[in-house]
Amino acid sequence: TVYRASTTAPVNIAVVKYWGKRDAKLNLPTNSSISVTLSQADLRTLTTASCSTIFTSDSLTLNGEDSDISGARTQACFRELRARRAALEEKDASLPKLAALPLKIVSENNFPTAAGLASSAAGFAALVQAIANLYQLPDSPSELSKFARQGSGSACRSLFGGYVAWRMGEKEDGSDSLADLVAPASHWPSMRALILVASAAKKGVSSSSGMQQTVASSGLFQERIKTIVPANMDLMEDAIKNHDFEKFAEVTMRDSNSFHACCADTYPPIYYMNDTSRAAVRAVEAINAKAGKTIAAYTFDAGPNCVVYYLDENKDAVLGGFADALKAVSGFEQGAVAAVAGVID
Ligand code: DP6
């Protein structure tokens, strides 16, 4: 028999960024973060998990290629999920003994892997959810988020749809470092994200290594985790609860700028944004200036690609503004992929 379960996991884009680990082994962060889960059909990972006596060992393929599963992150996810299944099997002897069987994971991304498009988030969220489905685990998304977190920090937020917080927690064992729902997508259904791909190339400095360098060398970062992020978390949760787009936008842009300032303050400095990214910032500023209020917000992860949040009622002004502004920008002209996403549960 081959036991099998499939799932898809969406991408999430943070509006208050996770950057920094206090424990690299358990992937425990130096600060809490908030993200929005995107619905775009082209931004998701599809994963099938199966297990059977006919498989000889655990395996994982990503986009048709064999992937190394010996890494501590993947191993941690496998181990935790197997332990949960084993506990169920111990309680109920009628359950098939799946925990002992080799796992075969097949994953497909339909967006550029590691180009700063949060692919590890969707990837590990899908991996954990697919195995949880295969094992029929009764755990809540928050419980599962602790397993996904050990695969990739940002992945814990992709276990939920809508507006999601990752609470950093305080405990050394990480048992209180998990994701929870700030609001479902239906709470603010007119939120949209415009995704501008400045470069689909693999990024230079991975988030994991970049954030470790920042923690080790940036003085500005200490200020970020002590005062800036806690304040942004409060402001952002209020903005979401009150549908206050201007506040949501300001905090999103300031938090992205603060994160990239910490990257620049890392020694040696890390630059994820490029000239094309900066042109997108100027385009958003021009759109907001023309509207006479803030109707668009940019944010950048560990790469040059830009995500612009806006409300559907302003789509003509935002998309039109970008079409005009980006005609003058070479990076987006050549092979730029622009996609619009909503928020999904
Ligand atoms: C800039 O989750 O990729 O996108 O935990 O080492 O896998 P690891 O890092 P990762 O970092 C994401 C950083 C970010 C901000 C964010 O998504 O909050």
Side-chain angles (χ1 to χ4, degrees), residues 121-171:
F124 276 104
L127 179 124
V128 166
Q129 189 68 63
I131 300 175
N133 292 353
L134 174 72
Y135 288 168
Q136 302 192 317
L137 301 183
D139 304 64
S140 67
S142 277
E143 286 299 314
L144 295 179
S145 80
K146 292 190 233 169
F147 305 149
R149 187 201 75 229
Q150 294 177 57
S152 179
S154 53
C156 74
R157 298 185 310 238
S158 272
L159 265 302
F160 288 89
Y163 303 82
V164 187
W166 174 11
R167 313 287 175 192
M168 65 178 286
E170 288 169 357
K171 294 188 182 153

mmCIF file of all heavy atoms in Angstrom, residues 121-171:
data_model
loop_
_atom_site.group_PDB
_atom_site.id
_atom_site.type_symbol
_atom_site.label_atom_id
_atom_site.label_comp_id
_atom_site.label_asym_id
_atom_site.label_seq_id
_atom_site.Cartn_x
_atom_site.Cartn_y
_atom_site.Cartn_z
ATOM 1 N N ALA A 121 9.070 29.690 2.531
ATOM 2 C CA ALA A 121 7.893 29.759 3.401
ATOM 3 C C ALA A 121 6.807 28.810 2.897
ATOM 4 O O ALA A 121 6.302 27.955 3.637
ATOM 5 C CB ALA A 121 7.358 31.185 3.470
ATOM 6 N N ALA A 122 6.457 28.948 1.623
ATOM 7 C CA ALA A 122 5.422 28.071 1.062
ATOM 8 C C ALA A 122 5.916 26.626 1.056
ATOM 9 O O ALA A 122 5.155 25.696 1.333
ATOM 10 C CB ALA A 122 5.070 28.525 -0.356
ATOM 11 N N GLY A 123 7.191 26.429 0.771
ATOM 12 C CA GLY A 123 7.758 25.083 0.669
ATOM 13 C C GLY A 123 7.655 24.305 1.966
ATOM 14 O O GLY A 123 7.123 23.185 1.978
ATOM 15 N N PHE A 124 8.138 24.873 3.042
ATOM 16 C CA PHE A 124 8.097 24.142 4.313
ATOM 17 C C PHE A 124 6.686 24.063 4.886
ATOM 18 O O PHE A 124 6.331 23.095 5.549
ATOM 19 C CB PHE A 124 9.080 24.743 5.323
ATOM 20 C CG PHE A 124 10.478 24.215 5.149
ATOM 21 C CD1 PHE A 124 11.466 24.975 4.555
ATOM 22 C CD2 PHE A 124 10.798 22.928 5.564
ATOM 23 C CE1 PHE A 124 12.752 24.472 4.377
ATOM 24 C CE2 PHE A 124 12.076 22.411 5.395
ATOM 25 C CZ PHE A 124 13.062 23.188 4.801
ATOM 26 N N ALA A 125 5.872 25.093 4.633
ATOM 27 C CA ALA A 125 4.478 25.021 5.097
ATOM 28 C C ALA A 125 3.761 23.871 4.392
ATOM 29 O O ALA A 125 3.025 23.093 5.026
ATOM 30 C CB ALA A 125 3.761 26.342 4.837
ATOM 31 N N ALA A 126 3.997 23.732 3.089
ATOM 32 C CA ALA A 126 3.349 22.657 2.330
ATOM 33 C C ALA A 126 3.867 21.295 2.774
ATOM 34 O O ALA A 126 3.095 20.334 2.908
ATOM 35 C CB ALA A 126 3.582 22.855 0.830
ATOM 36 N N LEU A 127 5.168 21.212 3.021
ATOM 37 C CA LEU A 127 5.757 19.950 3.468
ATOM 38 C C LEU A 127 5.121 19.492 4.793
ATOM 39 O O LEU A 127 4.695 18.343 4.928
ATOM 40 C CB LEU A 127 7.279 20.120 3.640
ATOM 41 C CG LEU A 127 8.043 18.896 4.127
ATOM 42 C CD1 LEU A 127 9.157 18.551 3.147
ATOM 43 C CD2 LEU A 127 8.669 19.131 5.487
ATOM 44 N N VAL A 128 5.048 20.418 5.732
ATOM 45 C CA VAL A 128 4.487 20.072 7.047
ATOM 46 C C VAL A 128 3.000 19.732 6.937
ATOM 47 O O VAL A 128 2.538 18.737 7.498
ATOM 48 C CB VAL A 128 4.736 21.225 8.053
ATOM 49 C CG1 VAL A 128 3.894 21.070 9.305
ATOM 50 C CG2 VAL A 128 6.227 21.289 8.401
ATOM 51 N N GLN A 129 2.264 20.543 6.185
ATOM 52 C CA GLN A 129 0.813 20.294 6.063
ATOM 53 C C GLN A 129 0.546 18.973 5.338
ATOM 54 O O GLN A 129 -0.355 18.222 5.728
ATOM 55 C CB GLN A 129 0.148 21.457 5.316
ATOM 56 C CG GLN A 129 -1.368 21.395 5.323
ATOM 57 C CD GLN A 129 -1.959 21.632 6.713
ATOM 58 O OE1 GLN A 129 -1.800 22.705 7.274
ATOM 59 N NE2 GLN A 129 -2.621 20.624 7.272
ATOM 60 N N ALA A 130 1.336 18.680 4.306
ATOM 61 C CA ALA A 130 1.115 17.434 3.551
ATOM 62 C C ALA A 130 1.376 16.215 4.442
ATOM 63 O O ALA A 130 0.590 15.256 4.446
ATOM 64 C CB ALA A 130 2.020 17.393 2.313
ATOM 65 N N ILE A 131 2.465 16.255 5.212
ATOM 66 C CA ILE A 131 2.752 15.112 6.090
ATOM 67 C C ILE A 131 1.720 15.034 7.225
ATOM 68 O O ILE A 131 1.273 13.949 7.594
ATOM 69 C CB ILE A 131 4.195 15.186 6.653
ATOM 70 C CG1 ILE A 131 5.214 15.175 5.501
ATOM 71 C CG2 ILE A 131 4.471 14.021 7.600
ATOM 72 C CD1 ILE A 131 6.667 15.371 5.935
ATOM 73 N N ALA A 132 1.311 16.195 7.737
ATOM 74 C CA ALA A 132 0.272 16.205 8.786
ATOM 75 C C ALA A 132 -1.024 15.592 8.251
ATOM 76 O O ALA A 132 -1.717 14.848 8.955
ATOM 77 C CB ALA A 132 0.035 17.625 9.291
ATOM 78 N N ASN A 133 -1.355 15.883 6.994
ATOM 79 C CA ASN A 133 -2.550 15.292 6.377
ATOM 80 C C ASN A 133 -2.374 13.783 6.200
ATOM 81 O O ASN A 133 -3.280 13.000 6.495
ATOM 82 C CB ASN A 133 -2.828 15.927 5.010
ATOM 83 C CG ASN A 133 -3.253 17.378 5.110
ATOM 84 O OD1 ASN A 133 -3.472 17.891 6.210
ATOM 85 N ND2 ASN A 133 -3.368 18.046 3.976
ATOM 86 N N LEU A 134 -1.197 13.396 5.709
ATOM 87 C CA LEU A 134 -0.898 11.971 5.516
ATOM 88 C C LEU A 134 -1.041 11.211 6.843
ATOM 89 O O LEU A 134 -1.614 10.128 6.889
ATOM 90 C CB LEU A 134 0.535 11.841 4.980
ATOM 91 C CG LEU A 134 1.115 10.439 4.828
ATOM 92 C CD1 LEU A 134 0.451 9.721 3.662
ATOM 93 C CD2 LEU A 134 2.633 10.506 4.603
ATOM 94 N N TYR A 135 -0.536 11.798 7.899
ATOM 95 C CA TYR A 135 -0.556 11.161 9.226
ATOM 96 C C TYR A 135 -1.872 11.405 9.977
ATOM 97 O O TYR A 135 -2.040 10.944 11.101
ATOM 98 C CB TYR A 135 0.599 11.689 10.081
ATOM 99 C CG TYR A 135 1.980 11.209 9.681
ATOM 100 C CD1 TYR A 135 3.115 11.809 10.223
ATOM 101 C CD2 TYR A 135 2.156 10.150 8.784
ATOM 102 C CE1 TYR A 135 4.403 11.375 9.890
ATOM 103 C CE2 TYR A 135 3.435 9.723 8.437
ATOM 104 C CZ TYR A 135 4.549 10.330 8.990
ATOM 105 O OH TYR A 135 5.807 9.908 8.658
ATOM 106 N N GLN A 136 -2.758 12.185 9.362
ATOM 107 C CA GLN A 136 -4.043 12.555 9.976
ATOM 108 C C GLN A 136 -3.864 13.081 11.392
ATOM 109 O O GLN A 136 -4.548 12.658 12.339
ATOM 110 C CB GLN A 136 -4.995 11.356 9.932
ATOM 111 C CG GLN A 136 -5.202 10.896 8.479
ATOM 112 C CD GLN A 136 -6.339 9.926 8.300
ATOM 113 O OE1 GLN A 136 -6.504 9.000 9.085
ATOM 114 N NE2 GLN A 136 -7.132 10.135 7.268
ATOM 115 N N LEU A 137 -2.956 14.026 11.528
ATOM 116 C CA LEU A 137 -2.698 14.620 12.845
ATOM 117 C C LEU A 137 -3.823 15.582 13.205
ATOM 118 O O LEU A 137 -4.275 16.350 12.362
ATOM 119 C CB LEU A 137 -1.357 15.372 12.841
ATOM 120 C CG LEU A 137 -0.114 14.562 12.491
ATOM 121 C CD1 LEU A 137 1.138 15.436 12.609
ATOM 122 C CD2 LEU A 137 0.013 13.333 13.388
ATOM 123 N N PRO A 138 -4.253 15.559 14.465
ATOM 124 C CA PRO A 138 -5.337 16.445 14.876
ATOM 125 C C PRO A 138 -4.856 17.855 15.258
ATOM 126 O O PRO A 138 -5.661 18.690 15.665
ATOM 127 C CB PRO A 138 -5.893 15.729 16.115
ATOM 128 C CG PRO A 138 -4.712 15.014 16.684
ATOM 129 C CD PRO A 138 -3.824 14.649 15.536
ATOM 130 N N ASP A 139 -3.566 18.142 15.098
ATOM 131 C CA ASP A 139 -2.999 19.394 15.594
ATOM 132 C C ASP A 139 -3.568 20.626 14.896
ATOM 133 O O ASP A 139 -3.815 20.617 13.692
ATOM 134 C CB ASP A 139 -1.485 19.382 15.418
ATOM 135 C CG ASP A 139 -0.850 18.181 16.091
ATOM 136 O OD1 ASP A 139 -1.140 17.045 15.651
ATOM 137 O OD2 ASP A 139 -0.109 18.373 17.045
ATOM 138 N N SER A 140 -3.692 21.704 15.662
ATOM 139 C CA SER A 140 -4.172 22.981 15.128
ATOM 140 C C SER A 140 -3.075 23.591 14.245
ATOM 141 O O SER A 140 -1.905 23.224 14.347
ATOM 142 C CB SER A 140 -4.454 23.937 16.278
ATOM 143 O OG SER A 140 -3.233 24.270 16.912
ATOM 144 N N PRO A 141 -3.468 24.561 13.377
ATOM 145 C CA PRO A 141 -2.446 25.238 12.564
ATOM 146 C C PRO A 141 -1.334 25.860 13.418
ATOM 147 O O PRO A 141 -0.172 25.836 13.022
ATOM 148 C CB PRO A 141 -3.238 26.316 11.819
ATOM 149 C CG PRO A 141 -4.633 25.786 11.755
ATOM 150 C CD PRO A 141 -4.830 24.980 13.006
ATOM 151 N N SER A 142 -1.677 26.411 14.587
ATOM 152 C CA SER A 142 -0.632 26.984 15.456
ATOM 153 C C SER A 142 0.365 25.923 15.906
ATOM 154 O O SER A 142 1.575 26.162 15.952
ATOM 155 C CB SER A 142 -1.236 27.652 16.694
ATOM 156 O OG SER A 142 -1.663 28.950 16.388
ATOM 157 N N GLU A 143 -0.162 24.724 16.238
ATOM 158 C CA GLU A 143 0.729 23.624 16.636
ATOM 159 C C GLU A 143 1.627 23.225 15.467
ATOM 160 O O GLU A 143 2.834 23.052 15.623
ATOM 161 C CB GLU A 143 -0.088 22.414 17.105
ATOM 162 C CG GLU A 143 -0.718 22.585 18.476
ATOM 163 C CD GLU A 143 0.332 22.808 19.563
ATOM 164 O OE1 GLU A 143 1.342 22.077 19.581
ATOM 165 O OE2 GLU A 143 0.144 23.730 20.375
ATOM 166 N N LEU A 144 1.018 23.092 14.283
ATOM 167 C CA LEU A 144 1.809 22.717 13.103
ATOM 168 C C LEU A 144 2.820 23.805 12.738
ATOM 169 O O LEU A 144 3.889 23.522 12.193
ATOM 170 C CB LEU A 144 0.893 22.433 11.903
ATOM 171 C CG LEU A 144 -0.044 21.224 12.030
ATOM 172 C CD1 LEU A 144 -0.901 21.090 10.771
ATOM 173 C CD2 LEU A 144 0.741 19.931 12.272
ATOM 174 N N SER A 145 2.470 25.056 13.061
ATOM 175 C CA SER A 145 3.373 26.159 12.709
ATOM 176 C C SER A 145 4.720 26.021 13.414
ATOM 177 O O SER A 145 5.737 26.470 12.912
ATOM 178 C CB SER A 145 2.729 27.518 13.014
ATOM 179 O OG SER A 145 2.816 27.840 14.395
ATOM 180 N N LYS A 146 4.722 25.356 14.568
ATOM 181 C CA LYS A 146 5.995 25.158 15.295
ATOM 182 C C LYS A 146 6.911 24.199 14.544
ATOM 183 O O LYS A 146 8.130 24.339 14.606
ATOM 184 C CB LYS A 146 5.733 24.592 16.693
ATOM 185 C CG LYS A 146 5.047 25.565 17.624
ATOM 186 C CD LYS A 146 5.063 25.007 19.033
ATOM 187 C CE LYS A 146 3.687 24.986 19.609
ATOM 188 N NZ LYS A 146 3.601 24.230 20.870
ATOM 189 N N PHE A 147 6.310 23.241 13.847
ATOM 190 C CA PHE A 147 7.131 22.323 13.041
ATOM 191 C C PHE A 147 7.656 23.067 11.802
ATOM 192 O O PHE A 147 8.832 22.979 11.463
ATOM 193 C CB PHE A 147 6.327 21.091 12.604
ATOM 194 C CG PHE A 147 5.696 20.335 13.741
ATOM 195 C CD1 PHE A 147 4.498 19.654 13.555
ATOM 196 C CD2 PHE A 147 6.296 20.292 14.996
ATOM 197 C CE1 PHE A 147 3.905 18.943 14.601
ATOM 198 C CE2 PHE A 147 5.716 19.581 16.045
ATOM 199 C CZ PHE A 147 4.511 18.912 15.841
ATOM 200 N N ALA A 148 6.747 23.803 11.132
ATOM 201 C CA ALA A 148 7.142 24.535 9.916
ATOM 202 C C ALA A 148 8.232 25.558 10.239
ATOM 203 O O ALA A 148 9.148 25.770 9.448
ATOM 204 C CB ALA A 148 5.931 25.214 9.299
ATOM 205 N N ARG A 149 8.122 26.192 11.410
ATOM 206 C CA ARG A 149 9.119 27.178 11.837
ATOM 207 C C ARG A 149 10.525 26.595 11.831
ATOM 208 O O ARG A 149 11.499 27.262 11.490
ATOM 209 C CB ARG A 149 8.774 27.651 13.256
ATOM 210 C CG ARG A 149 9.640 28.796 13.752
ATOM 211 C CD ARG A 149 9.612 28.876 15.275
ATOM 212 N NE ARG A 149 10.411 27.848 15.875
ATOM 213 C CZ ARG A 149 10.027 27.035 16.872
ATOM 214 N NH1 ARG A 149 8.829 27.133 17.401
ATOM 215 N NH2 ARG A 149 10.848 26.120 17.343
ATOM 216 N N GLN A 150 10.630 25.321 12.199
ATOM 217 C CA GLN A 150 11.957 24.700 12.252
ATOM 218 C C GLN A 150 12.510 24.421 10.855
ATOM 219 O O GLN A 150 13.713 24.246 10.677
ATOM 220 C CB GLN A 150 11.902 23.427 13.082
ATOM 221 C CG GLN A 150 11.596 23.742 14.533
ATOM 222 C CD GLN A 150 11.456 22.503 15.385
ATOM 223 O OE1 GLN A 150 12.355 21.682 15.455
ATOM 224 N NE2 GLN A 150 10.313 22.360 16.027
ATOM 225 N N GLY A 151 11.607 24.389 9.846
ATOM 226 C CA GLY A 151 12.050 24.261 8.461
ATOM 227 C C GLY A 151 12.557 25.606 7.945
ATOM 228 O O GLY A 151 13.669 25.722 7.440
ATOM 229 N N SER A 152 11.727 26.621 8.099
ATOM 230 C CA SER A 152 12.099 27.988 7.746
ATOM 231 C C SER A 152 11.203 28.895 8.573
ATOM 232 O O SER A 152 10.000 28.669 8.655
ATOM 233 C CB SER A 152 11.857 28.216 6.251
ATOM 234 O OG SER A 152 12.189 29.536 5.892
ATOM 235 N N GLY A 153 11.805 29.899 9.188
ATOM 236 C CA GLY A 153 11.043 30.742 10.110
ATOM 237 C C GLY A 153 9.755 31.257 9.499
ATOM 238 O O GLY A 153 8.654 31.062 10.041
ATOM 239 N N SER A 154 9.865 31.887 8.338
ATOM 240 C CA SER A 154 8.696 32.513 7.728
ATOM 241 C C SER A 154 7.619 31.485 7.342
ATOM 242 O O SER A 154 6.460 31.845 7.148
ATOM 243 C CB SER A 154 9.116 33.326 6.503
ATOM 244 O OG SER A 154 9.866 32.517 5.615
ATOM 245 N N ALA A 155 7.997 30.215 7.236
ATOM 246 C CA ALA A 155 7.028 29.176 6.858
ATOM 247 C C ALA A 155 5.923 29.022 7.897
ATOM 248 O O ALA A 155 4.802 28.634 7.556
ATOM 249 C CB ALA A 155 7.739 27.837 6.660
ATOM 250 N N CYS A 156 6.219 29.344 9.157
ATOM 251 C CA CYS A 156 5.192 29.144 10.190
ATOM 252 C C CYS A 156 3.970 30.010 9.908
ATOM 253 O O CYS A 156 2.856 29.660 10.274
ATOM 254 C CB CYS A 156 5.760 29.376 11.593
ATOM 255 S SG CYS A 156 6.050 31.086 12.038
ATOM 256 N N ARG A 157 4.188 31.144 9.213
ATOM 257 C CA ARG A 157 3.055 32.038 8.942
ATOM 258 C C ARG A 157 2.203 31.550 7.777
ATOM 259 O O ARG A 157 1.058 31.974 7.623
ATOM 260 C CB ARG A 157 3.569 33.462 8.676
ATOM 261 C CG ARG A 157 4.321 34.090 9.876
ATOM 262 C CD ARG A 157 4.700 35.540 9.574
ATOM 263 N NE ARG A 157 5.368 35.621 8.296
ATOM 264 C CZ ARG A 157 6.593 36.105 8.080
ATOM 265 N NH1 ARG A 157 7.299 36.608 9.087
ATOM 266 N NH2 ARG A 157 7.108 36.126 6.870
ATOM 267 N N SER A 158 2.743 30.656 6.928
ATOM 268 C CA SER A 158 1.966 30.168 5.774
ATOM 269 C C SER A 158 1.026 29.024 6.141
ATOM 270 O O SER A 158 0.346 28.490 5.280
ATOM 271 C CB SER A 158 2.897 29.736 4.627
ATOM 272 O OG SER A 158 3.203 30.835 3.788
ATOM 273 N N LEU A 159 0.978 28.633 7.425
ATOM 274 C CA LEU A 159 -0.005 27.631 7.861
ATOM 275 C C LEU A 159 -1.383 28.267 7.995
ATOM 276 O O LEU A 159 -2.385 27.567 8.146
ATOM 277 C CB LEU A 159 0.407 27.025 9.210
ATOM 278 C CG LEU A 159 1.194 25.714 9.199
ATOM 279 C CD1 LEU A 159 0.427 24.615 8.493
ATOM 280 C CD2 LEU A 159 2.550 25.844 8.556
ATOM 281 N N PHE A 160 -1.422 29.609 8.004
ATOM 282 C CA PHE A 160 -2.678 30.340 8.113
ATOM 283 C C PHE A 160 -2.896 31.160 6.860
ATOM 284 O O PHE A 160 -1.937 31.571 6.205
ATOM 285 C CB PHE A 160 -2.622 31.336 9.279
ATOM 286 C CG PHE A 160 -2.672 30.712 10.628
ATOM 287 C CD1 PHE A 160 -1.504 30.326 11.258
ATOM 288 C CD2 PHE A 160 -3.882 30.533 11.281
ATOM 289 C CE1 PHE A 160 -1.545 29.761 12.526
ATOM 290 C CE2 PHE A 160 -3.920 29.973 12.551
ATOM 291 C CZ PHE A 160 -2.756 29.581 13.165
ATOM 292 N N GLY A 161 -4.160 31.467 6.575
ATOM 293 C CA GLY A 161 -4.469 32.463 5.570
ATOM 294 C C GLY A 161 -4.688 33.800 6.248
ATOM 295 O O GLY A 161 -4.588 33.910 7.474
ATOM 296 N N GLY A 162 -4.966 34.813 5.436
ATOM 297 C CA GLY A 162 -5.311 36.119 5.978
ATOM 298 C C GLY A 162 -4.113 36.868 6.528
ATOM 299 O O GLY A 162 -3.025 36.833 5.956
ATOM 300 N N TYR A 163 -4.329 37.516 7.676
ATOM 301 C CA TYR A 163 -3.325 38.373 8.314
ATOM 302 C C TYR A 163 -2.775 37.609 9.520
ATOM 303 O O TYR A 163 -3.535 37.239 10.421
ATOM 304 C CB TYR A 163 -3.977 39.697 8.722
ATOM 305 C CG TYR A 163 -4.600 40.399 7.522
ATOM 306 C CD1 TYR A 163 -5.878 40.047 7.053
ATOM 307 C CD2 TYR A 163 -3.890 41.364 6.819
ATOM 308 C CE1 TYR A 163 -6.426 40.642 5.930
ATOM 309 C CE2 TYR A 163 -4.435 41.977 5.686
ATOM 310 C CZ TYR A 163 -5.700 41.611 5.252
ATOM 311 O OH TYR A 163 -6.240 42.205 4.126
ATOM 312 N N VAL A 164 -1.493 37.339 9.517
ATOM 313 C CA VAL A 164 -0.928 36.344 10.434
ATOM 314 C C VAL A 164 0.236 36.917 11.238
ATOM 315 O O VAL A 164 1.111 37.590 10.670
ATOM 316 C CB VAL A 164 -0.401 35.121 9.641
ATOM 317 C CG1 VAL A 164 0.032 34.007 10.580
ATOM 318 C CG2 VAL A 164 -1.460 34.621 8.664
ATOM 319 N N ALA A 165 0.255 36.645 12.534
ATOM 320 C CA ALA A 165 1.390 37.058 13.375
ATOM 321 C C ALA A 165 2.197 35.842 13.773
ATOM 322 O O ALA A 165 1.647 34.768 14.029
ATOM 323 C CB ALA A 165 0.878 37.772 14.629
ATOM 324 N N TRP A 166 3.494 35.996 13.781
ATOM 325 C CA TRP A 166 4.390 34.996 14.387
ATOM 326 C C TRP A 166 4.858 35.607 15.695
ATOM 327 O O TRP A 166 5.578 36.603 15.686
ATOM 328 C CB TRP A 166 5.552 34.703 13.451
ATOM 329 C CG TRP A 166 6.635 33.804 14.004
ATOM 330 C CD1 TRP A 166 6.607 33.065 15.149
ATOM 331 C CD2 TRP A 166 7.927 33.570 13.423
ATOM 332 N NE1 TRP A 166 7.782 32.385 15.320
ATOM 333 C CE2 TRP A 166 8.615 32.678 14.271
ATOM 334 C CE3 TRP A 166 8.559 34.030 12.269
ATOM 335 C CZ2 TRP A 166 9.914 32.240 13.993
ATOM 336 C CZ3 TRP A 166 9.845 33.594 11.998
ATOM 337 C CH2 TRP A 166 10.516 32.701 12.855
ATOM 338 N N ARG A 167 4.386 35.050 16.795
ATOM 339 C CA ARG A 167 4.776 35.537 18.128
ATOM 340 C C ARG A 167 6.131 34.938 18.469
ATOM 341 O O ARG A 167 6.269 33.702 18.477
ATOM 342 C CB ARG A 167 3.757 35.111 19.175
ATOM 343 C CG ARG A 167 2.298 35.360 18.778
ATOM 344 C CD ARG A 167 1.940 36.819 18.825
ATOM 345 N NE ARG A 167 0.576 37.030 18.323
ATOM 346 C CZ ARG A 167 0.083 38.235 18.027
ATOM 347 N NH1 ARG A 167 0.834 39.317 18.156
ATOM 348 N NH2 ARG A 167 -1.142 38.345 17.582
ATOM 349 N N MET A 168 7.098 35.797 18.758
ATOM 350 C CA MET A 168 8.467 35.297 18.942
ATOM 351 C C MET A 168 8.596 34.320 20.108
ATOM 352 O O MET A 168 9.380 33.382 20.038
ATOM 353 C CB MET A 168 9.449 36.459 19.137
ATOM 354 C CG MET A 168 9.231 37.269 20.391
ATOM 355 S SD MET A 168 10.475 38.589 20.577
ATOM 356 C CE MET A 168 11.906 37.646 21.058
ATOM 357 N N GLY A 169 7.789 34.514 21.146
ATOM 358 C CA GLY A 169 7.863 33.645 22.314
ATOM 359 C C GLY A 169 9.084 33.958 23.163
ATOM 360 O O GLY A 169 9.946 34.761 22.775
ATOM 361 N N GLU A 170 9.119 33.336 24.332
ATOM 362 C CA GLU A 170 10.215 33.593 25.271
ATOM 363 C C GLU A 170 10.946 32.322 25.658
ATOM 364 O O GLU A 170 12.094 32.351 26.075
ATOM 365 C CB GLU A 170 9.653 34.217 26.561
ATOM 366 C CG GLU A 170 9.207 35.642 26.395
ATOM 367 C CD GLU A 170 8.424 36.135 27.599
ATOM 368 O OE1 GLU A 170 8.182 35.344 28.543
ATOM 369 O OE2 GLU A 170 8.040 37.322 27.586
ATOM 370 N N LYS A 171 10.254 31.197 25.546
ATOM 371 C CA LYS A 171 10.814 29.954 26.084
ATOM 372 C C LYS A 171 12.004 29.455 25.266
ATOM 373 O O LYS A 171 12.033 29.621 24.050
ATOM 374 C CB LYS A 171 9.734 28.877 26.134
ATOM 375 C CG LYS A 171 8.640 29.222 27.113
ATOM 376 C CD LYS A 171 7.690 28.069 27.297
ATOM 377 C CE LYS A 171 6.575 28.454 28.251
ATOM 378 N NZ LYS A 171 5.353 27.694 28.006
#
